[in-house]
Amino acid sequence: MELQGKRHAMRFMRHLHINDIFLKDGSSDSDLWEIARSFVSYGLDIDELAADIQSNQLLSALAVDHEILKDWEIESLPALTFVTRDEALKIEGLYPYDVYQAVMAELLGYVPTRETDWNVEKVLGHYDASTITELAFILELDKPVIERELKKLSLQQRCRPVPGCSGEAWATNK
């Protein structure tokens, strides 16, 4: 689905993750196709998806990704690469935000600032759905604070719990 755009692919993968749909025992390709059909309302073109799967474009894209991983000698994910005219830097693994900020400051010559006006509603609007844990991590707030904010937004009918997620995932009302 990434061939139709990263946003479609990320929405689809988040939907699978949040609804705990990843291939379980007894799941089949037809189950995934049924889920993909539900994303037509998000702009996913099912006919194009089927054509992408049948074409060599998918294999070609994977081959390019593999070559990039090989050329950069990337052995673990996530991996970020920073490239300027003079140098290139690769960081493999997950690090605190400060590490990435220091690397960018070194390469850019100034300290980039973090956008600070994010709130629960803005994060939910950016992603189709988010778990309380994700919201707490992104906003650097405690879970009880996030839960209170979600209840307020729910009373205002601006968000709702995602069905089947035991109240852990929430989405905006569109």
Side-chain angles (χ1 to χ4, degrees), residues 33-53:
W33 276 108
E34 191 57 41
I35 294 163
R37 280 187 198 88
S38 71
F39 273 77
V40 169
S41 61
Y42 288 105
L44 182 67
D45 185 337
I46 295 297
D47 295 330
E48 187 68 28
L49 177 63
D52 289 341
I53 289 172

Side-chain angles (χ1 to χ4, degrees), residues 28-144:
S28 68
D29 288 347
S30 63
D31 295 335
L32 289 177
W33 276 108
E34 191 57 41
I35 294 163
R37 280 187 198 88
S38 71
F39 273 77
V40 169
S41 61
Y42 288 105
L44 182 67
D45 185 337
I46 295 297
D47 295 330
E48 187 68 28
L49 177 63
D52 289 341
I53 289 172
Q54 298 296 323
S55 77
N56 289 332
Q57 189 177 7
L58 181 61
L59 291 175
S60 177
L62 289 172
V64 168
D65 286 351
H66 180 70
E67 280 300 312
I68 291 170
L69 292 174
K70 193 168 108 182
D71 290 347
W72 278 86
E73 298 175 358
I74 293 174
E75 296 177 10
S76 66
L77 297 175
L80 293 175
T81 55
F82 299 91
V83 181
T84 67
R85 277 188 239 152
D86 304 324
E87 59 185 312
L89 178 65
K90 164 185 74 171
I91 300 177
E92 292 183 65
L94 203 53
Y95 297 96
Y97 178 78
D98 302 2
V99 172
Y100 300 112
Q101 191 174 35
V103 169
M104 288 186 286
E106 180 77 25
L107 293 172
L108 296 171
Y110 64 90
V111 177
T113 57
R114 182 183 222 174
E115 189 173 329
T116 58
D117 67 339
W118 285 86
N119 58 32
V120 171
E121 188 172 15
K122 189 170 180 180
V123 172
L124 285 177
H126 185 72
Y127 301 106
D128 289 323
S130 294
T131 65
I132 293 169
T133 303
E134 289 171 331
L135 290 166
F137 178 78
I138 291 168
L139 297 169
E140 297 177 345
L141 296 171
D142 294 328
K143 284 184 180 183

